Amino acid sequence: MSHTLLSLVVPFYNEQESIGSFFPRVAAVLEQLEGVDFEIVCVNDGSRDGTYPALIAAARADSRIRVIDLTRNFGKEAALTAGLDEARGDIVIPFDADLQDPPEVIPQLIAKWREGFDVVMARRVDRMSDTLMKRMSALLFYRVHNKLADVKIPENVGDFRLMSRDVIDALRLLPESRRFMKGLFAWVGYRHSTIEYTREARSAGQTSFSAWKLWNFALEGLTSFSTAPLRIWFYLGSTIALLSFGFACEIIIKTLIKGVAVPGYASLLVSILFMGGVQLIGIGIIGEYVGRIYTESKRRPVYLIRSRFQSEATTASPAHE
């Protein structure tokens, strides 16, 4: 009987506390899949705790675990890209080490894939394990992004999804250095379906995503797939110019015809400060896009790999580059 190879791609960054519970729970689910062999591709994204030694120990004990060690912390999007590039599977599932996305959902993803779908997304229907601020900010991000961007991102769908080999090969063709993976997953298209699940609390440790990082992540997503902020600023500038012209006409009429004195310095100061703020915001938005052009023009690699490791049961020694 021909078996399908499943690659579970898991970025790790300072997840030492989660590793002890991660592999037993995930392996217990994957071992029950009929007609499916699996590998777990672990990407150590420059962890500064004991994550890497713990991953090596797990890989020594189980040849189905592969460890990809990046030279430094490149960020989750780069680590996820590295894992997708390294995955050998016929089907690939990005997964988080914190177990907030329960591995027990994986059989449902595979069942949908067997119906003929290339992408099976997992949508969170209950996010009560997240803080209120995180839930509200996520809702706001999806609404704003999908209003402004040409590529729509399904609400409450994260990286957790199943993708066929054709989808992975298509993603590997995309050349950009600054990668917003949720947008890229949506951009490539393919026939897709969705299953629903309840998001759980972290198994251990603390999230590395602060409010500031989440804000920058949202800004990255918006500028990656939309030029609407630039267009909005054109319309805002046009509106302010028209209002200013109307106000100037009103002052001329009051002064020349009605003899009303010109308002004092307070209104002038407010106008100058307002316009200065508007101009600075506009320059900042332009700067975001110029910064993306600057970064992409360098053509630096998305990540660098220090070493690869898989136990001797499969490979004689780790490969280095």
Side-chain angles (χ1 to χ4, degrees):
M1 177 179 174
S2 177
H3 278 234
T4 297
L5 178 60
L6 162 66
S7 293
L8 195 71
V9 174
V10 191
F12 285 83
Y13 177 65
N14 294 342
E15 293 287 356
Q16 179 182 3
E17 297 179 23
S18 303
I19 291 176
S21 58
F22 176 83
F23 289 110
R25 182 174 173 185
V26 169
V29 173
L30 299 183
E31 287 169 353
Q32 300 301 315
L33 298 173
E34 295 185 4
V36 176
D37 295 326
F38 69 89
E39 64 172 2
I40 303 176
V41 182
C42 305
V43 182
N44 179 44
D45 186 24
S47 298
R48 291 174 292 181
D49 60 1
T51 295
Y52 180 63
L55 290 176
I56 294 297
R60 290 187 187 279
D62 190 339
S63 63
R64 298 169 299 186
I65 298 173
R66 298 166 54 206
V67 180
I68 313 300
D69 186 31
L70 304 187
T71 59
R72 63 172 177 83
N73 176 239
F74 286 90
K76 184 181 178 182
E77 305 299 280
L80 182 54
T81 300
L84 297 179
D85 289 344
E86 293 287 325
R88 303 166 180 164
D90 305 299
I91 53 178
V92 179
I93 299 177
F95 198 73
D96 287 343
D98 57 19
L99 293 176
Q100 284 195 279
D101 302 325
E104 290 77 13
V105 176
I106 292 175
Q108 300 177 48
L109 299 177
I110 294 176
K112 276 290 184 182
W113 168 72
R114 284 173 170 158
E115 293 178 12
F117 295 100
D118 293 292
V119 179
V120 185
M121 298 175 289
R123 186 169 72 87
R124 306 154 182 164
V125 294
D126 186 347
R127 300 187 61 167
M128 294 307 294
S129 60
D130 293 332
T131 63
L132 177 62
M133 179 63 69
K134 188 172 182 179
R135 296 198 303 271
M136 296 301 295
S137 61
L139 177 63
L140 179 62
F141 164 72
Y142 285 118
R143 296 289 171 83
V144 172
H145 183 279
N146 289 340
K147 284 288 186 182
L148 299 180
D150 297 328
V151 177
K152 311 302 180 185
I153 299 177
E155 289 191 22
N156 290 317
V157 175
D159 296 328
F160 184 33
R161 66 189 68 205
L162 180 149
M163 294 174 285
S164 69
R165 172 49 55 183
D166 287 342
V167 177
I168 297 301
D169 290 341
L171 287 168
R172 295 183 65 184
L173 294 175
L174 304 181
E176 52 254 66
S177 300
R178 294 178 61 174
R179 302 172 74 82
F180 180 67
M181 298 306 294
K182 292 182 182 64
L184 296 181
F185 291 153
W187 186 89
V188 296
Y190 287 88
R191 189 181 180 205
H192 62 271
S193 182
T194 305
I195 62 121
E196 297 181 343
Y197 75 104
T198 299
R199 188 168 171 83
E200 299 182 359
R202 285 182 62 92
S203 60
Q206 300 292 327
T207 179
S208 59
F209 275 92
S210 63
W212 178 248
K213 286 184 177 180
L214 289 173
W215 163 255
N216 286 326
F217 185 64
L219 191 61
E220 185 76 20
L222 187 58
T223 55
S224 293
F225 289 91
S226 175
T227 58
L230 295 173
R231 195 175 304 117
I232 289 172
W233 226 247
F234 168 76
Y235 291 122
L236 179 61
S238 300
T239 301
I240 292 176
L242 289 173
L243 291 175
S244 300
F245 179 76
F247 184 56
C249 292
E250 180 184 0
I251 291 176
I252 291 173
I253 292 173
K254 285 182 178 180
T255 303
L256 297 181
I257 299 178
K258 297 183 178 180
V260 178
V262 178
Y265 292 106
S267 59
L268 181 61
L269 181 62
V270 170
S271 299
I272 292 174
L273 291 176
F274 173 72
M275 286 306 303
V278 169
Q279 289 171 350
L280 288 175
I281 295 173
I283 292 171
I285 291 177
I286 295 172
E288 281 292 323
Y289 287 92
V290 172
R292 294 191 65 85
I293 296 170
Y294 174 68
T295 300
E296 295 295 339
S297 68
K298 295 178 182 180
R299 308 309 303 151
R300 290 174 180 168
V302 179
Y303 58 87
L304 293 173
I305 295 176
R306 176 184 290 115
S307 65
R308 299 178 177 88
F309 180 86
Q310 190 168 12
S311 73
E312 294 182 1
T314 303
T315 58
S317 61
H320 296 267
E321 63 174 39

